[in-house]
Amino acid sequence: NPYTGLVSHLRASWLSGKTRPMEYRVAQLEALGRFLDDKKQEILEATELDMGKPSFEAFFSEILLCKNELNVTLNNLSHWMKDEYVDKNLVMQLDSAFIRKDPYGVVLIIAPWNYPIHLFLVPLIGAIAAGNCAIIKPSEISKNTERLVAETLSCYLDNDCFAVVTGDVPETTRLLENKFDYIFFTGIPPVGRIVMTAAAKHLTPVTLELGGKNPCYVSDTCDVTNVARRVAWGRFFNAGQTCIAPDYLLCTIEMQEKLMPALREAITEFFGPNPQESPDFGRIVSDKQFQRLRALLGSGRVAIGGQTDEAERYIAPTVLADVLPSDPAMQEEIFGPILPIVVIANMDEAIEFINTRPRPLALYAFSCDSKIVNQVLERTSSGGFCGNDTLMHLTLTSLPFGGIGNSGLGKYHGKFTFDTFSHHRGCLHRNMGLETLNTPRYPPYTQQKLGLLTTTFEVKRRGTCTLL
Amino acid sequence: MERMQQIVGRARAAFNSGRSRPLEFRIQQLKALERMVQEKEKEILAALKADLHKSGPNAYSQEILGVLRELVLAMEKLPSWAAPQPVRKDLLTMRDKAYINYEPLGMVLVIGAWNYPFLLVMMPLIGAIAAGNAVVVKPSEVSENTAKLVAELLPQYLDKDLYPVVTGGVPETTELLTQRFDHILYTGNTAVGKIVMAAAAKHLTPVTLELGGKSPCYIDKDCDLAVACRRITWGKYMNCGQTCIAPDYILCDPSIQSQVVENIKATLKEFYGEDVKSSPDYERIVNQRHFKRVKSLLEGQKIAYGGETDEASCFIAPTILTDVSPESKVMEEEIFGPVLPIVTVKSVEEAIEFINRREKPLALYVFSNKKQLIRRVISETSSGGMTANDVIMHSVVPGLPFGGVGHSGMGAYVGRCSFETFSHHRACLIKDLRWELVNKLRYPPGSMEMMHL
């Protein structure tokens, strides 16, 4: 196996203990910060070459959000690393019981192409913070960013503990044959299954950040202008190639009518009369994806946009009206700048529509009536939820980011990334004295001893439960 | 195996009806479980006696006490555990509501083990119910009396559709694992753990695997040997060594090996009397297969104490082996029996190295008067959990997560940790439809100047 040597090398480094001291982790994290600062221009250029990512967007998602995560981690690392002391019962008052955060060892981070820096760097921050060594496997589809990361990351991080592996599907398959102590994968559900199956051979725990069709319900009572802007922003960011983009809209026929001009206005406001000329609108990452998306344009009817340019892999910000659940656009995660609107009669129908489908990574609901937003939240299930906006729940580092069911397992961001890459080890340090207190637990067993044991270990009910 | 599909389908339909979500319902079910344990105590103890030769007080303290405690904790704390947890907001979200909503995952599968057959289905079941899920319970067929009893009792006390019990062996479990669940908690061995995770991968189902391994026990020269050996003897030979977190083997300096043996011998006599076989407090190996397996580990070993066996009653006497070679069979697999090998090491460094060369264990033990040494062992090794100067006890501290790492498992449960394991932690951000001005900063057309605001 071409990677066994590399994995062994990293494992040897980890066993040497060099990644454990906080100073080491801080130094590596600060180096990551310098990578982002020094290579900012290169990152903007590479992502522009890869998918026409507008500089504004690239700065926001690939630099700013990453630096936020870095700073939150550096600010809190010493606190996160500390042993967490827990409550004890009667017999343990002289003992100390705590949770120790142990690194796992050598972790593997597999990143996708749509936010090619962010989606390896943010997990890597947590992996380093937790004291692990890591192999990073960037996506081969975002070729320019892949090259940038492979060539320059090694100048910033300790090469004995962190390595970048490049390659296609065959290489990734061989990489996955090795034993890792944790695997963090971001990508599509079918590959998530492959990764978890490979991980099962070694009993490697995993976090899978997958995807799905994120529904966006718009109620009849809402400020159409603001809704249109927020939905359009979320849908067309990165030309729609965002795992938590609103995938499709659910609303009544009257709302569809009201939204259309508002959406048209928002798109013009954002990208001008010809989005193809706007520096703020991206392109599709590959010919394969472009063709896949173009085929979806036959769903419903094109109410806004619909223009394409194969040479540039440009698809205009598009809204499809009157889309049917059986249409092609409703069969797969769109992952492009196309927003289908599916008409429903009312909120109950919308909720039923959502609940008969696989649970999505994100779910959105728009209404001026907070009760409606709440109902949609309470009666559905999704990785995350945002009321009256799109994407924004991702930017708050104190919220866990992850899926459920087909949209993923595990979570990260902020402290959750650190916790993901740490083994929480229950530790009890007992006193060697006071041996007489242990007598009730030793044979020969008697009812009397049992009585004593029950008294010391029991959790007593405090009064009656007020709920009943 | 259509029956399996029907059972699981019915449970899922029951979950989808929403009736397991209200806290009142969950607490009502937990209360019913509490009643079950109290009313059927005799039957439960009888089943444990039939399966593992556990004595009454022994079985009660090992399997019922912990369950009652977990039930009381869950009923008491559920409202606070289930409450939405507000999170710290930043400048952009100051005016918004940001919180984590704890929601049921849906359908949970609990696969129990035979060594603590009642405890190991009840503890996960309690957490899964508390988190609002439907639960399919699959007790181990090896402890058949307890399996039968659980299958009879649960439907008498709990909602019949939401919490079905499925009995059977490998074929039934394999069939069950083809169904889709939203979380699987499996307690058992490493080999089957891999099978469970591979089956879960097909449905992208998260798993908690409580496996095993060889839990090392290092005894420092500088410690109260009498106390240390008494505590080790208790943890090693309880349930006839069939405990996932029993100290599997001892590491110590050759100069104290014989003292260790003498102390353990003395303690064994104190616990079980002169004739162990007639002590009501000493259990038996669960079946012939495991009896033969454990017995074969004695071949070619220096037996310092014990070694007597009786196939008819699956009896193996508390046994100590000395000067054991690290390459011998008894040092290859988890013993899960009343055989205690002693491997000599010259220093704590050697012990740490020895431990780290092997798979990460479920538990790790170290006995020493030196705090520094203990801290060092903790920091330079990895294990699911650990106790210093005792054994087993980290598993009864309510606030400590119970779980393995590496080959000893993944995920954790018990107490609040169970509730969190069986819940989906849904990030919720609720914004206002007004205050659009702030949003304009992020909309195109963008400019770098705007970015730096």
Side-chain angles (χ1 to χ4, degrees):
Chain A
N1 189 294
Y3 303 106
T4 307
L6 177 64
V7 178
S8 305
H9 180 76
L10 258 53
R11 186 155 280 121
S13 302
W14 178 68
L15 284 170
S16 77
K18 76 192 298 209
T19 58
R20 320 275 264 195
M22 189 176 102
E23 299 73 39
Y24 177 88
R25 307 181 199 187
V26 169
Q28 297 301 303
L29 290 172
E30 287 176 343
L32 268 187
R34 284 196 304 277
F35 165 78
L36 287 173
D37 288 334
D38 295 347
K39 297 299 169 192
K40 182 174 95 186
Q41 211 33 54
E42 286 87 336
I43 291 171
L44 300 187
E45 279 162 12
T47 52
E48 192 188 348
L49 284 170
D50 282 331
M51 66 204 90
K53 210 187 263 280
S55 308
F56 187 84
E57 287 184 6
F59 181 81
F60 183 73
S61 69
E62 307 309 278
I63 312 281
L64 186 75
L65 289 182
C66 295
K67 294 213 84 181
N68 279 356
E69 289 281 342
L70 209 54
N71 291 336
V72 165
T73 305
L74 285 167
N75 289 342
N76 293 287
L77 186 55
S78 71
H79 176 64
W80 294 348
M81 277 175 70
K82 283 202 172 73
D83 291 335
E84 254 177 66
Y85 285 86
V86 300
D87 286 333
K88 300 164 291 190
N89 45 30
L90 225 70
V91 282
M92 291 181 185
Q93 289 311 306
L94 288 179
D95 310 322
S96 79
F98 55 94
I99 302 171
R100 164 67 57 94
K101 321 297 173 63
D102 278 341
Y104 278 108
V106 179
V107 310
L108 171 64
I109 297 170
I110 302 175
W113 52 261
N114 56 336
Y115 293 91
I117 299 287
H118 182 116
L119 292 172
F120 87 79
L121 204 120
V122 175
L124 180 61
I125 288 170
I128 294 177
N132 301 282
C133 292
I135 291 183
I136 298 122
K137 165 68 187 69
S139 169
E140 68 281 9
I141 296 176
S142 42
K143 284 225 120 16
N144 297 281
T145 314
E146 182 200 38
R147 193 183 313 122
L148 175 67
V149 174
E151 285 172 7
T152 62
L153 199 64
S154 54
C155 306
Y156 291 84
L157 297 179
D158 181 344
N159 293 332
D160 284 331
C161 300
F162 308 101
V164 178
V165 164
T166 57
D168 217 315
V169 173
E171 285 79 15
T172 312
T173 309
R174 301 237 62 198
L175 186 57
L176 282 168
E177 285 166 15
N178 290 283
K179 177 177 166 165
F180 290 95
D181 303 302
Y182 203 94
I183 297 177
F184 190 103
F185 170 80
T186 307
I188 56 174
V191 182
R193 280 190 194 90
I194 295 171
V195 170
M196 189 168 170
T197 305
K201 295 200 172 73
H202 297 289
L203 286 171
T204 301
V206 300
T207 291
L208 306 174
E209 295 275 332
L210 311 175
K213 293 183 75 61
N214 305 318
C216 182
Y217 170 68
V218 179
S219 84
D220 284 336
T221 50
C222 69
D223 180 335
V224 175
T225 318
N226 290 350
V227 171
R229 272 209 205 93
R230 296 174 191 195
V231 170
W233 177 70
R235 171 75 280 186
F236 302 119
F237 197 91
N238 202 29
Q241 297 159 117
T242 308
C243 54
I244 47 166
D247 188 275
Y248 64 98
L249 224 71
L250 288 166
C251 64
T252 60
I253 197 145
E254 293 84 26
M255 183 45 60
Q256 182 183 240
E257 213 118 310
K258 288 205 196 109
L259 266 177
M260 213 53 82
L263 283 166
R264 198 172 286 117
E265 166 126 22
I267 291 170
T268 311
E269 199 184 299
F270 293 168
F271 310 118
N274 184 5
Q276 193 170 4
E277 288 167 10
S278 163
D280 296 321
F281 185 69
R283 296 292 180 267
I284 306 306
V285 73
S286 68
D287 294 325
K288 179 167 150 206
Q289 292 293 325
F290 174 85
Q291 272 138 30
R292 179 187 67 79
L293 285 165
R294 193 170 52 185
L296 301 181
L297 291 171
S299 311
R301 63 179 165 85
V302 176
I304 303 174
Q307 301 89 348
T308 67
D309 181 340
E310 186 151 2
E312 277 190 35
R313 291 198 293 271
Y314 165 80
I315 296 183
T318 301
V319 179
L320 304 170
D322 299 322
V323 176
L324 297 171
S326 53
D327 281 331
M330 289 306 290
Q331 304 316 312
E332 54 182 78
E333 185 176 358
I334 292 170
F335 228 67
I338 300 170
L339 179 66
I341 302 182
V342 174
V343 163
I344 39 86
N346 49 47
M347 182 186 71
D348 286 329
E349 217 180 276
I351 290 175
E352 214 205 300
F353 189 94
I354 293 169
N355 286 342
T356 48
R357 288 172 163 69
R359 290 180 289 186
L361 185 55
L363 205 149
Y364 302 108
F366 285 83
S367 180
C368 287
D369 185 348
S370 64
K371 283 201 277 306
I372 292 181
V373 171
N374 235 60
Q375 273 221 45
V376 176
L377 169 57
E378 293 289 317
R379 292 164 59 186
T380 60
S381 179
S382 64
F385 178 93
C386 188
N388 292 329
D389 209 338
T390 59
L391 311 190
M392 290 304 284
H393 61 290
L394 175 140
T395 66
L396 191 54
T397 57
S398 52
L399 281 175
F401 184 74
I404 185 174
N406 267 29
S407 57
L409 57 96
K411 55 192 183 283
Y412 74 125
H413 283 185
K415 179 168 190 276
F416 300 105
T417 324
F418 175 86
D419 286 339
T420 288
F421 286 107
S422 313
H423 167 58
H424 289 218
R425 187 183 190 187
C427 301
L428 176 64
H429 185 158
R430 300 212 73 189
N431 200 292
M432 274 282 224
L434 300 171
E435 181 60 0
T436 39
L437 282 183
N438 281 341
T439 318
R441 79 187 195 198
Y442 297 142
Y445 300 116
T446 61
Q447 279 302 126
Q448 188 199 48
K449 275 186 180 176
L450 187 58
L452 272 170
L453 212 66
T454 311
T455 322
T456 50
F457 278 97
E458 213 174 31
V459 171
K460 292 256 189 299
R461 288 296 290 284
R462 272 197 289 269
T464 41
C465 186
T466 53
L467 276 177
L468 293 173
Chain B
M1 305 260 184
E2 239 174 49
R3 229 189 106 249
M4 205 72 77
Q5 262 187 317
Q6 279 174 357
I7 294 173
V8 176
R10 203 165 41 234
R12 192 172 278 288
F15 174 76
N16 287 339
S17 78
R19 68 171 178 275
S20 65
R21 303 178 83 116
L23 294 192
E24 303 81 56
F25 178 86
R26 307 181 204 181
I27 290 177
Q28 188 194 79
Q29 296 297 305
L30 294 174
K31 253 192 127 51
L33 271 186
E34 189 183 39
R35 253 185 305 120
M36 180 188 92
V37 176
Q38 289 161 342
E39 289 171 10
K40 301 293 177 185
E41 185 187 306
K42 270 207 195 66
E43 287 87 338
I44 297 168
L45 295 181
L48 293 171
K49 179 118 208 255
D51 283 330
L52 287 146
H53 203 263
K54 279 192 214 210
S55 71
N58 197 0
Y60 191 92
S61 70
Q62 280 177 19
E63 304 216 35
I64 294 189
L65 202 61
V67 169
L68 286 174
R69 204 171 67 134
E70 185 84 345
L71 278 164
V72 169
L73 188 73
M75 287 189 280
E76 177 128 346
K77 298 283 188 182
L78 186 54
S80 76
W81 289 350
Q85 190 195 313
V87 299
R88 222 189 63 238
K89 299 183 283 194
D90 59 16
L91 221 65
L92 281 177
T93 48
M94 234 358 107
R95 265 190 288 252
D96 310 321
K97 284 219 273 300
Y99 57 95
I100 301 172
N101 213 34
Y102 293 98
E103 304 176 357
L105 287 166
M107 285 271 296
V108 173
L109 171 62
V110 172
I111 303 177
W114 54 259
N115 57 336
Y116 293 89
F118 187 68
L119 183 79
L120 295 174
V121 299
M122 290 296 289
M123 296 288 278
L125 175 62
I126 292 166
I129 292 178
N133 301 285
V135 190
V136 174
V137 176
K138 162 70 188 69
S140 168
E141 70 282 10
V142 175
S143 43
E144 53 186 358
N145 296 283
T146 312
K148 212 162 120 223
L149 185 67
V150 168
E152 269 167 29
L153 290 183
L154 286 193
Q156 284 175 30
Y157 286 84
L158 298 180
D159 182 305
K160 288 183 183 44
D161 293 326
L162 282 169
Y163 315 109
V165 180
V166 170
T167 52
V170 173
E172 285 81 8
T173 312
T174 309
E175 172 63 31
L176 199 52
L177 283 170
T178 62
Q179 304 293 312
R180 211 193 102 225
F181 292 96
D182 302 304
H183 195 102
I184 300 175
L185 188 145
Y186 165 77
T187 306
N189 66 55
T190 302
V192 179
K194 290 182 182 170
I195 296 172
V196 172
M197 188 172 173
K202 293 200 172 71
H203 295 290
L204 292 168
T205 300
V207 297
T208 298
L209 305 175
E210 298 275 332
L211 310 176
K214 295 183 76 59
S215 300
C217 179
Y218 176 67
I219 308 178
D220 184 28
K221 270 192 284 191
D222 179 6
C223 82
D224 185 335
L225 266 185
V227 173
C229 291
R230 181 181 281 115
R231 297 178 182 188
I232 292 170
T233 306
W234 169 70
K236 172 75 201 184
Y237 299 105
M238 69 161 53
N239 205 25
C240 205
Q242 297 161 121
T243 306
C244 54
I245 47 171
D248 186 278
Y249 64 96
I250 288 181
L251 291 167
C252 71
D253 192 279
S255 66
I256 58 168
Q257 188 178 214
S258 50
Q259 259 184 288
V260 169
V261 173
E262 287 314 305
N263 275 301
I264 295 179
K265 261 163 77 169
T267 310
L268 282 169
K269 292 212 173 77
E270 197 186 304
F271 285 179
Y272 304 115
E274 286 299 329
D275 179 21
V276 166
K277 207 160 175 214
S278 59
S279 163
D281 298 322
Y282 190 67
E283 288 92 349
R284 300 290 180 267
I285 301 296
V286 72
N287 62 21
Q288 289 284 315
R289 181 169 74 88
H290 281 284
F291 170 86
K292 290 194 173 91
R293 179 187 64 78
V294 178
K295 185 171 172 200
S296 74
L297 300 176
L298 301 175
E299 282 160 29
Q301 296 296 338
K302 212 194 278 179
I303 298 179
Y305 185 72
E308 299 89 5
T309 66
D310 173 31
E311 185 155 346
S313 58
C314 288
F315 166 83
I316 297 182
T319 303
I320 311 171
L321 309 173
T322 49
D323 295 316
V324 176
S325 149
E327 282 79 45
S328 53
K329 193 154 168 238
V330 75
M331 286 306 292
E332 266 172 38
E333 52 179 81
E334 184 174 358
I335 294 166
F336 228 66
V339 173
L340 180 59
I342 303 180
V343 174
T344 56
V345 289
K346 295 272 179 25
S347 62
V348 72
E349 286 81 20
E350 211 184 300
I352 289 173
E353 223 182 298
F354 187 94
I355 292 167
N356 285 343
R357 256 185 273 128
R358 289 148 173 272
E359 295 296 344
K360 297 176 193 175
L362 185 55
L364 190 147
Y365 303 111
V366 51
F367 286 81
S368 176
N369 283 335
K370 302 201 278 279
K371 278 208 177 91
Q372 222 357 67
L373 185 141
I374 290 175
R375 253 186 241 126
R376 193 176 160 195
V377 171
I378 300 178
S379 296
E380 294 181 24
T381 61
S382 185
S383 64
M386 66 84 56
T387 300
N389 294 333
D390 206 339
V391 297
I392 313 285
M393 297 302 282
H394 62 283
S395 66
V396 304
V397 179
L400 290 181
F402 184 73
V405 66
H407 275 211
S408 57
M410 61 181 76
Y413 74 120
V414 177
R416 184 187 198 143
C417 195
S418 275
F419 178 82
E420 297 191 345
T421 287
F422 293 118
S423 300
H424 172 54
H425 305 208
R426 190 180 191 190
C428 298
L429 180 64
I430 317 285
K431 296 184 85 83
D432 200 294
L433 261 182
R434 303 165 292 170
W435 318 118
E436 188 60 358
L437 210 63
V438 182
N439 282 348
K440 286 205 186 268
L441 283 176
R442 76 193 198 210
Y443 295 150
S447 69
M448 290 314 243
E449 286 77 34
M450 287 276 250
M451 214 57 252
H452 291 293
L453 263 172

